[in-house]
Amino acid sequence: MVGVGPAVAAEAGWERYGETLREARTTLELAVTVPPAEPDAAARPGEPHVTSARSLALERELTRSGGPERWARLADDSLGPLLAWEARHPSDLVRTLEVHLRNGCSPTRTAALLHIGRQSFYQRLERIELLLGSEVDDPELHGEWLLATCAHRLLRSGERIGARPAGHPVDHPVDRSVDRSVDRLGADQREGARAGTRRSPAYSTAVSAKPTRQVRSPIEGAALTR
């Protein structure tokens, strides 16, 4: 499983490199612990899987700006009647709504992704609209409902793993390691710039002495070959 952070310009410097590295770590953590809205988007055991920060942008923003209490409030404020129905009648209505919104409200696409017939989908859609008191194709509600359904999925993932939901901001040892590495590399870069070189002295020395040397990654358990 690989998480990829946002792309940054080569000349951006180590501060931006550190930002994208931290976003990649959050993306990877979310990809591992939070089930995707669409069944086919899940990684199959034993198969390589790459996910990008862009594909989990909404999840990253929710974890950055709050935790379980806020997610529960967002979900309940927007989807209260729907959540109450699902609590009494096991169904898949909340996920159906999220997948439908994520795919441009296309009945054909939504039914295919959920592996159900169009008639079954329309029955679910009718129930959703009845419970929420609004039509799903109302564009003014799309943003609110998409945010709420995603918040509900994050909340459920935390309940399933019985721990802090992935991506929730805490003082994590990997974050501290990344911060130290970025600061150290930034200092090397500045030292190299003062010397009039394009690469830091530490990097140049390592490469000239042993081009295939293993360079430790700031993330534990990973390494980069230079």
Coordinates of all heavy atoms in Angstrom, one line a residue, residues 62-112:
L62 N -11.3 16.7 6.8 CA -12.1 16.4 7.9 C -11.2 16.0 9.1 O -11.5 16.4 10.3 CB -13.1 15.3 7.6 CG -14.3 15.7 6.9 CD1 -15.1 14.5 6.4 CD2 -15.2 16.6 7.7
T63 N -10.2 15.2 8.9 CA -9.3 14.8 10.0 C -8.5 15.9 10.5 O -8.1 16.0 11.6 CB -8.4 13.6 9.6 OG1 -7.7 13.9 8.4 CG2 -9.3 12.3 9.3
R64 N -8.2 16.8 9.6 CA -7.3 18.0 10.0 C -8.1 19.0 10.8 O -7.5 19.6 11.7 CB -6.8 18.7 8.7 CG -5.9 19.9 9.0 CD -5.5 20.5 7.7 NE -4.5 19.7 6.9 CZ -4.7 19.2 5.7 NH1 -5.9 19.4 5.1 NH2 -3.8 18.5 5.1
S65 N -9.4 19.1 10.5 CA -10.2 20.2 11.2 C -11.0 19.7 12.4 O -11.8 20.5 12.9 CB -11.1 20.9 10.1 OG -11.9 19.9 9.6
G66 N -10.9 18.4 12.7 CA -11.8 18.0 13.8 C -11.6 16.5 14.1 O -10.9 15.8 13.4
G67 N -12.4 16.0 15.0 CA -12.3 14.6 15.4 C -13.7 14.0 15.5 O -14.7 14.6 14.9
P68 N -13.9 12.9 16.2 CA -15.1 12.1 16.2 C -16.3 13.0 16.7 O -17.4 12.8 16.1 CB -14.8 11.0 17.2 CG -13.4 10.8 17.1 CD -12.8 12.1 16.8
E69 N -16.2 13.9 17.6 CA -17.3 14.7 18.1 C -17.8 15.6 16.9 O -19.0 15.7 16.7 CB -16.9 15.5 19.3 CG -16.7 14.7 20.5 CD -16.4 15.6 21.7 OE1 -16.5 16.9 21.6 OE2 -16.1 15.1 22.8
R70 N -16.9 16.2 16.2 CA -17.3 17.1 15.1 C -17.9 16.2 14.0 O -18.9 16.6 13.4 CB -16.2 17.9 14.6 CG -16.5 18.8 13.4 CD -15.4 19.7 13.0 NE -15.9 20.6 12.0 CZ -15.6 20.4 10.7 NH1 -15.0 19.3 10.3 NH2 -16.0 21.3 9.8
W71 N -17.3 15.1 13.7 CA -17.9 14.2 12.6 C -19.3 13.8 13.0 O -20.2 13.8 12.1 CB -17.0 13.0 12.4 CG -15.6 13.4 12.1 CD1 -15.1 14.6 11.6 CD2 -14.4 12.5 12.3 NE1 -13.7 14.5 11.4 CE2 -13.3 13.3 11.9 CE3 -14.2 11.2 12.7 CZ2 -12.0 12.8 11.9 CZ3 -13.0 10.7 12.8 CH2 -11.8 11.5 12.4
A72 N -19.5 13.4 14.2 CA -20.8 12.9 14.6 C -21.9 14.1 14.5 O -23.0 13.9 14.1 CB -20.8 12.4 16.1
R73 N -21.4 15.3 14.9 CA -22.3 16.4 14.8 C -22.7 16.8 13.3 O -23.8 17.0 13.0 CB -21.7 17.6 15.5 CG -22.6 18.8 15.7 CD -22.0 19.8 16.7 NE -20.7 20.2 16.4 CZ -19.6 19.9 17.0 NH1 -19.7 19.1 18.1 NH2 -18.4 20.3 16.7
L74 N -21.7 16.7 12.5 CA -21.9 17.0 11.0 C -22.9 16.0 10.5 O -23.8 16.3 9.7 CB -20.6 16.9 10.3 CG -19.7 18.1 10.3 CD1 -18.3 17.7 9.7 CD2 -20.3 19.3 9.6
A75 N -22.7 14.7 10.8 CA -23.5 13.6 10.2 C -24.9 13.8 10.8 O -25.9 13.6 10.0 CB -22.9 12.3 10.6
D76 N -25.1 14.0 12.0 CA -26.4 14.0 12.6 C -27.2 15.3 12.2 O -28.4 15.2 11.9 CB -26.3 14.0 14.2 CG -27.6 13.8 14.8 OD1 -28.3 12.8 14.6 OD2 -28.1 14.7 15.6
D77 N -26.5 16.4 12.0 CA -27.2 17.6 11.6 C -27.8 17.5 10.2 O -28.9 18.0 9.9 CB -26.3 18.8 11.6 CG -25.9 19.3 13.1 OD1 -26.6 18.8 14.0 OD2 -25.0 20.1 13.2
S78 N -27.1 16.8 9.3 CA -27.5 16.7 7.9 C -28.3 15.4 7.6 O -29.2 15.5 6.8 CB -26.3 16.8 7.0 OG -25.6 18.0 7.1
L79 N -28.0 14.3 8.3 CA -28.5 13.0 8.0 C -29.3 12.4 9.1 O -29.5 11.2 9.1 CB -27.4 12.1 7.5 CG -26.5 12.6 6.4 CD1 -25.3 11.7 6.2 CD2 -27.2 12.8 5.1
G80 N -29.7 13.2 10.1 CA -30.3 12.6 11.3 C -31.4 11.5 11.0 O -31.3 10.4 11.5
P81 N -32.4 11.9 10.3 CA -33.5 10.9 10.0 C -33.0 9.6 9.3 O -33.4 8.5 9.6 CB -34.5 11.6 9.2 CG -34.2 13.1 9.5 CD -32.8 13.2 9.7
L82 N -32.0 9.8 8.4 CA -31.5 8.7 7.7 C -30.6 7.8 8.6 O -30.7 6.5 8.5 CB -30.6 9.2 6.5 CG -30.0 8.2 5.5 CD1 -31.2 7.4 4.9 CD2 -29.2 8.9 4.5
L83 N -29.9 8.4 9.5 CA -29.1 7.6 10.4 C -30.0 6.9 11.4 O -29.7 5.7 11.8 CB -28.1 8.5 11.2 CG -27.1 9.2 10.3 CD1 -26.2 10.2 11.2 CD2 -26.2 8.2 9.6
A84 N -31.1 7.5 11.8 CA -32.0 6.9 12.8 C -32.6 5.7 12.1 O -32.8 4.6 12.8 CB -33.0 7.9 13.2
W85 N -33.0 5.8 10.8 CA -33.6 4.7 10.1 C -32.6 3.5 10.0 O -33.0 2.3 10.3 CB -34.0 5.1 8.7 CG -34.4 4.0 7.8 CD1 -33.5 3.3 7.0 CD2 -35.6 3.4 7.7 NE1 -34.2 2.3 6.3 CE2 -35.5 2.3 6.7 CE3 -36.9 3.6 8.2 CZ2 -36.6 1.5 6.3 CZ3 -38.0 2.8 7.8 CH2 -37.8 1.8 6.9
E86 N -31.3 3.8 9.7 CA -30.4 2.7 9.6 C -30.1 2.1 10.9 O -29.7 0.9 11.0 CB -29.1 3.3 9.0 CG -29.1 3.5 7.5 CD -27.8 3.3 6.8 OE1 -26.8 3.5 7.4 OE2 -27.8 3.0 5.6
A87 N -30.2 2.8 12.0 CA -30.0 2.2 13.3 C -31.1 1.2 13.6 O -30.8 0.2 14.3 CB -30.0 3.3 14.4
R88 N -32.3 1.4 13.1 CA -33.4 0.5 13.4 C -33.5 -0.6 12.3 O -34.0 -1.7 12.6 CB -34.7 1.2 13.5 CG -34.7 2.2 14.6 CD -36.2 2.7 14.8 NE -36.7 3.3 13.6 CZ -36.6 4.6 13.3 NH1 -36.0 5.4 14.0 NH2 -37.2 5.0 12.1
H89 N -33.1 -0.3 11.1 CA -33.3 -1.2 9.9 C -31.9 -1.3 9.2 O -31.6 -0.4 8.4 CB -34.3 -0.7 9.0 CG -35.6 -0.3 9.6 ND1 -35.9 0.9 10.1 CD2 -36.8 -1.1 9.8 CE1 -37.1 0.9 10.6 NE2 -37.7 -0.3 10.5
P90 N -31.1 -2.3 9.5 CA -29.9 -2.5 8.8 C -30.0 -2.3 7.3 O -30.8 -3.1 6.6 CB -29.4 -3.9 9.2 CG -30.1 -4.1 10.5 CD -31.4 -3.4 10.4
S91 N -29.3 -1.4 6.7 CA -29.4 -1.1 5.3 C -28.1 -0.5 4.8 O -27.1 -0.4 5.6 CB -30.6 -0.2 4.9 OG -30.5 1.0 5.6
D92 N -28.1 0.0 3.6 CA -26.9 0.6 3.0 C -27.2 2.0 2.4 O -26.6 2.4 1.4 CB -26.3 -0.3 1.9 CG -24.8 -0.2 1.8 OD1 -24.2 0.3 2.7 OD2 -24.3 -0.7 0.8
L93 N -28.1 2.7 3.1 CA -28.6 3.9 2.5 C -27.6 5.1 2.5 O -27.5 5.8 1.6 CB -29.9 4.4 3.2 CG -31.1 3.4 3.0 CD1 -32.3 4.0 3.7 CD2 -31.4 3.1 1.6
V94 N -26.9 5.2 3.6 CA -25.9 6.3 3.7 C -24.8 6.1 2.7 O -24.4 7.1 2.0 CB -25.3 6.3 5.2 CG1 -24.2 7.4 5.2 CG2 -26.4 6.6 6.2
R95 N -24.3 4.9 2.6 CA -23.2 4.7 1.6 C -23.8 4.9 0.2 O -23.1 5.4 -0.7 CB -22.6 3.3 1.7 CG -21.4 3.1 0.8 CD -20.7 1.8 1.0 NE -21.5 0.7 0.6 CZ -21.0 -0.5 0.2 NH1 -19.7 -0.6 0.2 NH2 -21.8 -1.5 -0.1
T96 N -25.0 4.4 -0.1 CA -25.6 4.6 -1.4 C -25.7 6.1 -1.7 O -25.4 6.5 -2.8 CB -27.1 4.1 -1.4 OG1 -27.0 2.7 -1.2 CG2 -27.7 4.4 -2.7
L97 N -26.0 6.9 -0.7 CA -26.1 8.4 -1.0 C -24.7 8.9 -1.3 O -24.5 9.7 -2.2 CB -26.7 9.1 0.3 CG -26.7 10.6 0.2 CD1 -27.5 11.1 -0.9 CD2 -27.2 11.2 1.6
E98 N -23.7 8.5 -0.5 CA -22.3 9.0 -0.8 C -21.8 8.6 -2.1 O -21.3 9.4 -2.9 CB -21.4 8.5 0.3 CG -20.0 9.1 0.2 CD -19.0 8.7 1.3 OE1 -19.4 7.8 2.1 OE2 -17.9 9.3 1.3
V99 N -22.0 7.4 -2.5 CA -21.5 6.9 -3.8 C -22.2 7.6 -4.9 O -21.6 8.0 -5.9 CB -21.7 5.4 -3.9 CG1 -21.4 4.9 -5.4 CG2 -20.8 4.6 -2.9
H100 N -23.5 7.9 -4.7 CA -24.3 8.6 -5.8 C -23.8 10.0 -5.9 O -23.6 10.5 -7.1 CB -25.8 8.6 -5.3 CG -26.7 9.0 -6.4 ND1 -26.7 8.4 -7.7 CD2 -27.7 9.9 -6.4 CE1 -27.7 9.0 -8.4 NE2 -28.3 9.9 -7.6
L101 N -23.5 10.7 -4.8 CA -23.0 12.1 -4.9 C -21.6 12.1 -5.5 O -21.3 13.0 -6.3 CB -23.0 12.7 -3.5 CG -24.4 12.9 -2.9 CD1 -24.2 13.3 -1.4 CD2 -25.2 14.0 -3.7
R102 N -20.8 11.2 -5.2 CA -19.4 11.1 -5.7 C -19.3 10.9 -7.1 O -18.3 11.1 -7.8 CB -18.6 10.1 -4.9 CG -18.2 10.5 -3.5 CD -17.4 9.4 -2.8 NE -17.0 9.8 -1.5 CZ -15.8 10.4 -1.2 NH1 -14.9 10.6 -2.2 NH2 -15.4 10.7 0.0
N103 N -20.4 10.3 -7.7 CA -20.4 9.9 -9.1 C -21.4 10.7 -9.9 O -22.0 10.2 -10.9 CB -20.6 8.4 -9.2 CG -19.5 7.6 -8.8 OD1 -18.5 7.3 -9.6 ND2 -19.5 7.2 -7.5
G104 N -21.5 12.0 -9.6 CA -22.3 12.9 -10.4 C -23.8 12.6 -10.4 O -24.5 13.0 -11.3
C105 N -24.3 11.9 -9.4 CA -25.7 11.5 -9.3 C -26.1 10.7 -10.5 O -27.3 10.9 -11.0 CB -26.6 12.7 -9.1 SG -26.4 13.5 -7.5
S106 N -25.2 9.8 -11.0 CA -25.6 9.0 -12.1 C -26.2 7.7 -11.6 O -25.4 6.9 -11.0 CB -24.3 8.7 -13.0 OG -24.5 7.6 -13.9
P107 N -27.4 7.4 -11.9 CA -28.0 6.1 -11.4 C -27.3 4.9 -12.0 O -27.1 3.9 -11.3 CB -29.5 6.2 -11.9 CG -29.7 7.6 -12.1 CD -28.4 8.2 -12.5
T108 N -26.9 4.9 -13.2 CA -26.3 3.8 -13.9 C -24.9 3.5 -13.2 O -24.6 2.4 -12.8 CB -26.1 4.0 -15.4 OG1 -27.3 4.3 -16.0 CG2 -25.4 2.8 -16.0
R109 N -24.1 4.6 -13.0 CA -22.8 4.4 -12.4 C -22.9 4.0 -11.0 O -22.2 3.1 -10.5 CB -22.1 5.7 -12.5 CG -20.7 5.8 -11.8 CD -19.7 4.9 -12.6 NE -18.4 5.1 -12.0 CZ -17.4 4.2 -12.1 NH1 -17.6 3.1 -12.9 NH2 -16.2 4.4 -11.6
T110 N -23.9 4.6 -10.2 CA -24.0 4.2 -8.8 C -24.5 2.8 -8.6 O -23.9 2.0 -7.8 CB -25.1 5.1 -8.1 OG1 -24.7 6.5 -8.3 CG2 -25.2 4.8 -6.7
A111 N -25.4 2.3 -9.4 CA -25.9 0.9 -9.3 C -24.8 0.0 -9.6 O -24.6 -1.1 -9.0 CB -27.1 0.7 -10.3
A112 N -24.0 0.3 -10.7 CA -22.9 -0.6 -11.0 C -21.8 -0.7 -9.9 O -21.4 -1.8 -9.6 CB -22.3 -0.1 -12.3

